Amino acid sequence: MSGPQTPEPALGIQGDAPTGARDEDAADGIQHSHRMLSFSDALLSIIATVMILPVTHTEISPEQFDKSIQKLLATRIAVYLMTFLIVTVAWAAHTRLFQVVGKIDDTLALLNLACMMTITFLPFTFSLMVTFPEVPLGIFLFCMCVITIGAVQSYLLMATVIFLPYVSKVSSWCKGRLVGPQEPPAHSMEFFTFDLHEPLSKERVEAFSDGVYAIVATLLILDICEDNVPDPRDVKEKFHGSLVAALSVYGPHFLAYFGSFATVGLLWFAHHSLFLHIRKATQSMGLLNTLSLAFVGGLPLAYQQTSAFVRQPHDELESVRVSCAIIFLASIFQFAIWTTALLHEGETLQPSARFGGREHAFMFAKLALYPCASLLAFASTCFLSRFSTAIFHLMQIAVPFAFLLLRLLVRLGLALLCAMRGLAQPATQAEEDAHAPLLPAAC
Amino acid sequence: MSGPQTPEPALGIQGDAPTGARDEDAADGIQHSHRMLSFSDALLSIIATVMILPVTHTEISPEQFDKSIQKLLATRIAVYLMTFLIVTVAWAAHTRLFQVVGKIDDTLALLNLACMMTITFLPFTFSLMVTFPEVPLGIFLFCMCVITIGAVQSYLLMATVIFLPYVSKVSSWCKGRLVGPQEPPAHSMEFFTFDLHEPLSKERVEAFSDGVYAIVATLLILDICEDNVPDPRDVKEKFHGSLVAALSVYGPHFLAYFGSFATVGLLWFAHHSLFLHIRKATQSMGLLNTLSLAFVGGLPLAYQQTSAFVRQPHDELESVRVSCAIIFLASIFQFAIWTTALLHEGETLQPSARFGGREHAFMFAKLALYPCASLLAFASTCFLSRFSTAIFHLMQIAVPFAFLLLRLLVRLGLALLCAMRGLAQPATQAEEDAHAPLLPAAC
């Protein structure tokens, strides 16, 4: 049942000195699992977002845009969203598992790698399942993967949580018999606390989100580096040797890339600011975060479409609207994390971000910026449909500057609010508020 | 010179209580930069490895394999290696910068994002420079990128290290005048210690390496998910509706993927074990790590070639040799990190991994496994050139099992060594060694 090395961790009982403990553990083949977890997070976030590639690479030309292409695109988007959710569920199970398994040894690290390899195979089986709904092979492979992952994870759980205490007891009993009486190994039980109702590990939610943001931000550069270097022969023949003219053909691609990177980067920035003020991530916040990330993964699709403006100018209204909708959904779910956190602000938020806290208004503005901007852009395309591209580019340029000046703008806004209130009801308690914290107490 | 928010951090002087300090800092817009750094590491590692894609996607068919393709391939490999080194240098500068800049505010986080966006553009400019050596545009763009990155980074440095102390001094002086005398703000100077000769941050070396390993491990699945789901029409026409037959065409691709993932995963595992025993990473260890990672990035190329076995059976000897060489180089540089660390083992290694330490022999075996296996495979293809594919697959299957059984094998080896020594010179000091630690002291 257990591998050739699982009895090893039993040795970990010896090293208990406060200073040398870490090295002693490492020496015995037991390791704190921090780095393995961040590697797993990086892998899982890449796997979760990988299925957006077939969507972005679906060639849509105005002549061919018939039912079959529409169906193909819809299928691929569905595959992407489902894969994202499935991999996130696998990630959540992994997180739970390693909230229980505090320390690892080499066998567990290798088994974790095997588990990761099986999970990377999930998107493929799922896409097979959807492409051939009538053939049972896809479902069979998918189930095999899930069973393998489950088996490896439950093996990890059993090997460490259920059997290990006994193994270590037996081995220490044997040692006691051979060498002489020792102090009781209460330490080994301490490694593995079993509490499935505790909130998600905030660090791992952050690491997984970071991975998704990083891979999404760079997905378009993958294509650009490969396809958008013009062919020397083409440059000579078509553009009379002018490299600038040849590159200007790819202009929209670069614009799309920078737009995509800026949007993903700023959404990451908002996420980063938000989690800086969060103490604990509850289950519902984790779910909202997943939904937000799923739409963030759709951003390359949005910008792929804006890069197609040149080829199909008639569809630009539609593309701009789709882009605005994706940005809106990605950012509104971030905003929802914040409002959910506010519901239990005593547990989930740092004091400064709560109602009346110093940073409350500022956080609110930071998270509301993208939903408002995208909603505004969407609405204005309805009235000014002829200028939709201009509106979209204006939004892209304006939002980063708004982020830079946000702290200033919020102060100005609050001061204005105060002034208006002060006109309505003359100030009487100005004296008391002089020593109160900065922002909300300004009026 | 300074943005609208840089004076903000001066507020950070207030929060100095040991428990609430973190929240106070966050409230003032100053943040510990941990998460921003790991996000930057993830981005930079993806950018560093992205140029392997044009190499792996170079179509080589036996009929077309002439000088022009060879030249193209050589150019692309050179571009990949140079990009990797350039991005690593940018990463090293970034690491240095944030060893000086301890804490960040929102403006710095946004500037960091802008810096990242410019760095993502480096690979493209470089590849343009190589494709059109006679046109100065590529060099111009490349230099523009480097200048921008340098400007942003030096702005960060100046804004925080050089000007910020003065700004905070002035602001506290003003406060002192307005509110009354306060304790001197010695705290604000403490944030920014300036020591460029200290070793690289071990955490960031690990994070960057993790990113490279993660993206390399999943590079092949990017292709598989997109291209290797067979077309339903093809399945009906060519394979008479048999999905298994259609998939078996792609068999070598899946083998290649699993082989690649396993190799990258195990190299990560060896790296992980190595850095578990390392205390500090010196400059030369960092350089060796970069070289090792550059060859790890070449692994998808190796496995892309093994997946082409079916199409071009005559070239398999060459492919196997290239693969073995890449694996050998990637692993031998890892081994070199270890030997370099041993030269200054007092500073760089944990006690248990030093000469005579408990884990020394085991670490040695772990790091020597891949160089030995690949060298052996390479040598045996010279003698048994007809069975080169079989040898390569045997290596792929044998190495993971060797890793699993390594602890057992090392013990057996040491016991055998002891027994042989014991036969040569009869044991006299057996009594003394009974209480010594396990492995090296076994004889």
Side-chain angles (χ1 to χ4, degrees), chain A residues 27 57 106 120 226 257 359 366, chain B residues 27 57 106 120 226 257 359:
Chain A
H57 288 182
D106 282 357
T120 59
E226 194 172 355
Y257 171 68
E359 290 285 297
K366 226 180 213 173
Chain B
H57 288 181
D106 283 357
T120 59
E226 195 171 357
Y257 172 67
E359 290 284 297

Side-chain angles (χ1 to χ4, degrees), chain A residues 47-55 74-86 126 212 216 290-301:
Chain A
I47 301 160
T49 38
V50 76
M51 291 309 292
I52 198 68
L53 278 180
V55 182
T75 312
R76 286 180 168 179
I77 291 174
V79 168
Y80 161 69
L81 285 174
M82 282 308 296
T83 315
F84 197 95
L85 290 179
I86 289 168
F126 195 77
V212 172
V216 170
T290 306
L291 288 172
S292 168
L293 289 177
F295 286 104
V296 168
L299 278 174
L301 168 70

